[in-house]
């Protein structure tokens, strides 16, 4: 199996693995990389665009501080006269960047948009400090006569890469989100977790293979490591019975709900077929009957002291990227995480849209792609 | 393509017919509210007659995707089976009336089915897929059919009133009733 897998390792993948091996010392994670190396797939997070964006900039006027003893007072005066609205991540003062030590300080007077340019020559990149700063002479004397137009980063940096880019423009505050950093460096999952992910996806793959439409999906409760629902596509019979929609309804059926069972629409028969293919792919209890599902839910109740609510706390594994309908169905169902194999041009979890991080929606979730990517290209 | 009401309803203009179907959807929405569901109702009209009518059944089915539109789509499939009609042709000539803007999921479903148009009451600021949160109705997406023609604001006030009634009450299936109560006070403060 592992020999077979190696054949699929792409050059990209090798680079990626090498990079992460170098960048980490954690024992558990280095094991992860070893495992990734023999694996034909690699996991890629699908994060919001804001994490990948290049630094945007905004114009400010900057003066030189001639009398450094006055710096604190200047900062105080300026922050009340010209607060850096929306630029709270930008440091007001910086050491002059001309290569020398103690080359003096520079201070941001104001945002360029705060200045009424009408009475000034708007094409000029430097203006007289006294024309924009209303303060007493002692303050003005501490500043250079002219201030110059500078660019500073418009938004606070969210990643180390963005921080490095931003810092080249002007010093900024950076509060690194440790989790996002781990996500971007692929340091989230341990070997056993990656194995678990692969197991679940291979189950979804088997379901996809028995489906005429070649899409399979499983819903997993990561707390108990049990499969809550396994489904495949029936869109050849019912246009909206995509694997994800079927899976969501099966979860509901397991909670004594569901709709497609009531309408008498068949969503079951081929699943039995997949069952026989299933072999010892994954250790779990048999949840094919509603009774055993009830037992499973009962166990959950004792564990969490609440009854299961929709797909809260559950992970979905689907062989290809869900469409907008399925992606929004997962938002409505409060899914915890989604893992998919291969991207689709119409996909709504990374390709056409990123519904899982859409601003204005009340539920966001994590998305990872690339699990068994080659095999999922059915 | 002829609008069904332009020849089926002699003395009514299309706006009246729209209102009539929206009222039918509204009745179903009231039924949803009586059953503790988000008050959304939907009717689907083919060749001048209602072939599907349903409401939100999310709490009843414990399935968050069982919106009125999705239930109606299932009924259309049943109707097609019963009357031996090609479902894809029926959907291509179907008219959808719903008291609240279809959500992103339902708008996508309408696009996937190549349904030509939808008439709705009030906007759905939280989930709306026809302009409020996303523009699923006319975005270019590979695999989607024609863009969806949208008529909004038909009896919108009634729909808003009904939604407000729902949010004054509480969703019995929601896991955090305290949060709901907090939201309600915020809502009251802002309104």
């Amino acid at each position: 199996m592992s020999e077979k897998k190696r054949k699929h390792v792409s050059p990209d993948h090798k680079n990626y693995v090498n990079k992460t091996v170098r960048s980490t010392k954690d024992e558990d994670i280095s094991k992860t990389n070893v495992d990734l190396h023999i694996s034909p797939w690699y996991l890629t997070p699908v994060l919001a665009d804001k994490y990948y964006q290049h630094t945007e900039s905004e114009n400010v006027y900057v003066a030189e501080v001639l009398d450094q003893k006055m710096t604190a007072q200047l900062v105080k005066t300026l922050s009340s006269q010209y607060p850096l609205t929306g630029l709270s991540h930008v440091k007001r003062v910086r050491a002059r960047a001309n290569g020398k030590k103690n080359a003096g300080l520079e201070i941001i007077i104001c945002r360029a948009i705060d200045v009424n340019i009408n009475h000034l020559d708007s094409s000029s990149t430097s203006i007289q400090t006294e024309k924009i700063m209303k303060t007493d002479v002692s303050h003005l004397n501490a500043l250079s006569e002219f201030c110059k137009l500078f660019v500073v980063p418009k938004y606070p940096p969210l990643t180390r890469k963005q921080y490095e880019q931003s810092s080249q423009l002007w010093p900024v505050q950076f509060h690194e989100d440790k989790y996002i950093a781990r996500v971007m460096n692929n340091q989230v999952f341990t070997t056993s977790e990656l194995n678990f992910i692969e197991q679940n996806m291979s189950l979804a793959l088997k379901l996809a293979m028995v489906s005429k439409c070649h899409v399979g999906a499983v819903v997993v409760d990561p707390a108990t490591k049990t499969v809550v629902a396994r489904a495949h596509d029936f869109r050849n019979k019912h246009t909206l019975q995509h694997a994800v929609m079927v899976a969501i309804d099966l979860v509901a059926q397991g909670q004594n709900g569901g709709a497609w069972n009531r309408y008498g629409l068949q969503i079951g028969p081929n699943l039995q077929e997949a069952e026989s293919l299933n072999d010892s792919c994954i250790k779990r209890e048999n949840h094919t009957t509603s009774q055993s599902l009830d037992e499973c839910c009962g166990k959950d109740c004792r564990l969490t002291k609440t009854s299961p609510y929709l797909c809260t706390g559950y992970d979905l594994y689907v062989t290809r990227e869900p469409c907008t309908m399925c992606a929004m169905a997962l938002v409505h169902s409060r899914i915890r995480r989604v893992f998919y194999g291969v991207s689709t041009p119409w996909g709504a979890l990374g390709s056409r849209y990123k519904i899982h991080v859409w601003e204005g929606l009340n539920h966001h979730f994590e998305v990872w792609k690339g699990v068994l990517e080659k095999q999922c290209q059915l | 393509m002829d609008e069904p009401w332009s020849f089926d309803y002699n003395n009514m203009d299309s706006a009246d017919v729209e209102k009539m179907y929206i009222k039918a959807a509204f009745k179903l929405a009231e039924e949803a509210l009586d059953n503790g569901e988000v008050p959304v109702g939907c009717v689907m009209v083919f060749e001048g007659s209602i072939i599907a009518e349903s409401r939100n059944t999310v709490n009843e089915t414990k399935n968050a995707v069982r919106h009125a539109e999705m239930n109606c789509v299932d009924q259309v499939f049943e109707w097609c089976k019963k009357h031996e009609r090609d479902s894809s042709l029926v959907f291509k000539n179907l008219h959808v009336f719903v008291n609240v803007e279809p959500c992103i999921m339902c708008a996508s479903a309408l696009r996937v089915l190549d349904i030509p148009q939808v008439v709705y009451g009030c906007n759905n600021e939280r989930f709306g897929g026809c302009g409020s949160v996303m523009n699923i109705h006319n975005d270019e997406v590979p695999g989607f059919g024609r863009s969806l023609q949208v008529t909004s604001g038909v009896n919108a006030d009634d729909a808003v009133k009904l939604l407000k009634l729902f949010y004054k009450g509480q969703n019995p299936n929601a896991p955090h009733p305290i949060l709901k109560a907090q939201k309600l006070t915020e809502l009251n403060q802002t309104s």
Side-chain angles (χ1 to χ4, degrees):
Chain A
M1 186 65 185
S2 58
E3 280 304 309
K4 247 186 193 174
K5 280 176 175 181
R6 268 193 202 100
K7 283 179 189 166
H8 293 295
V9 176
S10 64
D12 273 356
H13 174 58
K14 276 178 190 159
N15 291 341
Y16 174 82
V17 169
N18 289 343
K19 207 170 101 193
T20 41
V21 167
R22 275 203 307 272
S23 67
T24 178
K25 283 168 190 161
D26 186 289
E27 214 181 81
D28 210 7
I29 291 155
S30 51
K31 265 187 224 159
T32 306
N33 291 316
V34 171
D35 187 71
L36 272 174
H37 194 70
I38 57 156
S39 175
W41 55 276
Y42 64 99
L43 209 52
T44 311
V46 185
L47 294 170
D49 291 338
K50 62 180 179 182
Y51 294 108
Y52 304 108
Q53 266 160 9
H54 283 282
T55 309
E56 280 183 56
S57 58
E58 185 172 337
N59 289 335
V60 294
Y61 282 108
V62 171
E64 208 179 311
V65 182
L66 301 175
D67 182 359
Q68 295 193 15
K69 285 176 200 153
M70 290 290 287
T71 312
Q73 279 184 54
L74 285 167
V75 169
K76 205 177 164 191
T77 311
L78 283 168
S79 30
S80 67
Q81 196 175 339
Y82 287 119
L84 295 177
T85 315
L87 293 176
S88 55
H89 56 283
V90 173
K91 292 182 180 171
R92 193 106 208 182
V93 181
R94 76 162 180 186
R96 282 189 73 186
N98 67 351
K100 285 186 227 160
K101 271 188 182 176
N102 300 327
L105 299 176
E106 285 170 323
I107 188 163
I108 298 174
I109 303 296
C110 63
R111 304 182 304 168
I113 52 166
D114 288 338
V115 181
N116 183 3
I117 287 287
N118 290 343
H119 64 282
L120 300 163
D121 179 7
S122 59
S123 65
S124 167
T125 53
S126 81
I127 54 176
Q128 272 185 294
T129 312
E130 61 179 346
K131 282 192 175 166
I132 50 172
M133 204 174 156
K134 300 171 207 78
T135 183
D136 54 58
V137 187
S138 66
H139 279 72
L140 277 177
N141 284 345
L143 292 166
S144 57
E145 190 187 348
F146 286 91
C147 43
K148 290 178 186 163
L149 210 53
F150 266 70
V151 285
V152 297
K154 194 170 184 176
Y155 302 110
L158 300 170
T159 65
R160 190 151 288 278
K161 196 177 166 191
Q162 286 176 343
Y163 172 61
E164 282 158 11
Q165 282 176 354
S166 300
S167 301
Q168 285 179 356
L169 296 177
W170 189 271
V172 287
Q173 311 266 9
F174 176 47
H175 305 287
E176 189 170 32
D177 183 328
K178 293 276 157 55
Y179 183 69
I180 289 295
R182 280 172 61 214
V183 167
M184 293 196 104
N185 294 322
N186 207 35
Q187 297 170 343
V188 174
F189 299 104
T190 62
T191 317
S192 63
E193 283 168 334
L194 285 170
N195 286 338
F196 186 61
I197 290 165
E198 190 179 281
Q199 277 178 353
N200 292 326
M201 190 59 87
S202 52
L203 177 58
L205 255 173
K206 280 174 179 161
L207 290 155
M209 282 167 189
V210 296
S211 152
K212 285 201 173 100
C213 310
H214 305 302
V215 191
V218 291
V219 178
V220 172
D221 181 353
T224 54
K225 298 211 169 196
T226 50
V227 174
V228 182
R230 56 202 96 125
H232 66 65
D233 230 90
F234 287 92
R235 77 182 74 185
N236 53 334
K237 287 179 184 151
H238 182 307
T239 323
L240 301 187
Q241 284 185 347
H242 296 186
V244 173
M245 301 300 273
V246 175
I248 288 171
D249 202 57
L250 288 172
V251 171
Q253 288 179 30
Q255 296 168 2
N256 284 330
W260 280 333
N261 44 350
R262 295 173 195 204
Y263 281 100
L265 292 167
Q266 297 287 305
I267 52 171
N270 284 0
L271 299 183
Q272 298 291 339
E273 209 179 306
E275 197 62 32
S276 59
L277 282 167
N278 188 16
D279 53 70
S280 57
C281 170
I282 181 166
K283 277 185 194 168
R284 72 195 183 310
E285 293 159 31
N286 191 341
H287 293 317
T288 41
T289 67
S290 59
Q291 255 186 339
S292 57
L293 260 169
D294 283 349
E295 283 163 23
C296 156
C297 296
K299 222 182 280 168
D300 284 351
C301 294
R302 281 197 295 278
L303 212 71
T304 61
K305 290 184 181 172
T306 58
S307 42
Y309 180 70
L310 308 174
C311 295
T312 305
Y314 294 162
D315 292 344
L316 174 88
Y317 296 79
V318 56
T319 50
R320 72 181 193 198
E321 187 182 354
C323 68
T324 46
M325 175 181 71
C326 293
M328 191 59 199
L330 292 165
V331 174
H332 285 314
S333 299
R334 307 284 195 276
I335 199 83
R336 178 172 176 256
R337 288 187 302 200
V338 171
F339 297 88
Y340 66 84
V342 60
S343 297
T344 58
W346 55 86
L349 300 182
S351 297
R352 180 61 182 86
Y353 303 103
K354 287 180 174 175
I355 284 187
H356 60 296
V357 289
W358 197 271
E359 282 194 32
L361 290 179
N362 62 347
H363 177 70
H364 289 173
F365 52 86
E366 254 179 46
V367 172
W368 299 83
K369 66 174 180 179
V371 188
L372 297 178
E373 191 173 6
K374 290 272 149 98
Q375 290 92 324
C376 285
Q377 285 165 355
L378 290 168
Chain B
M1 188 187 61
D2 287 322
E3 308 288 16
W5 46 75
S6 61
F7 53 91
D8 277 344
Y9 299 89
N10 306 330
N11 297 320
M12 292 167 98
D13 64 11
S14 65
D16 284 338
V17 176
E18 274 176 7
K19 281 194 174 164
M20 189 186 80
Y21 286 131
I22 284 287
K23 272 184 185 157
F26 186 79
K27 277 254 179 300
L28 291 154
E30 284 181 318
E31 186 193 309
L33 185 68
D34 290 343
N35 286 278
E37 301 277 358
V38 179
V40 185
C42 175
V43 298
M44 292 190 173
V45 177
F46 179 66
E47 292 178 345
S49 54
I50 294 176
I51 62 164
E53 47 180 350
S54 191
R55 60 167 173 90
N56 210 317
T57 55
V58 166
N59 289 336
E60 184 187 320
T61 58
K62 298 181 181 179
N63 181 341
V65 314
R66 298 319 299 178
H67 290 181
E69 300 93 320
M70 303 301 271
N71 288 334
C72 279
V73 166
D74 281 351
Q75 286 181 12
V76 172
F77 274 114
E78 299 259 284
W79 184 90
C80 290
K81 213 191 259 175
K82 199 175 156 194
H83 294 84
E84 293 178 346
R85 300 291 287 260
D86 179 347
S87 60
S88 65
L89 286 179
V90 171
F91 282 117
K92 278 188 172 73
N93 295 288
L94 200 64
H95 295 265
V96 177
F97 300 86
V98 50
N99 62 318
V100 181
E101 176 187 357
C103 77
I104 292 157
M105 173 188 72
C106 291
S108 305
L110 301 181
R111 288 289 302 271
V112 167
L113 294 162
D114 206 16
I115 289 173
Q117 59 102 264
V118 60
V119 178
Y120 62 81
C122 69
N123 287 345
N124 181 346
E125 300 296 341
R126 294 172 75 191
F127 303 119
C130 301
S132 291
V133 181
M134 286 179 84
N135 297 311
I136 298 295
H137 63 297
N138 62 8
D139 272 359
E140 283 275 328
V141 178
F144 275 3
R146 301 166 282 182
S147 58
L148 187 65
Q149 262 187 38
V150 170
T151 309
S152 62
V154 182
N155 292 7
D157 292 348
D158 291 348
V160 170
K161 271 180 209 158
L162 207 60
L163 282 173
K164 277 192 176 159
L165 267 178
F166 174 80
Y167 286 111
K168 266 184 197 169
Q170 281 183 6
N171 180 353
N173 275 19
H176 301 300
I178 301 153
L179 271 176
K180 281 264 168 185
Q182 281 171 353
K183 265 185 194 165
L184 187 72
T185 43
E186 281 166 26
L187 200 80
N188 288 340
Q189 279 162 3
T190 51
S191 63

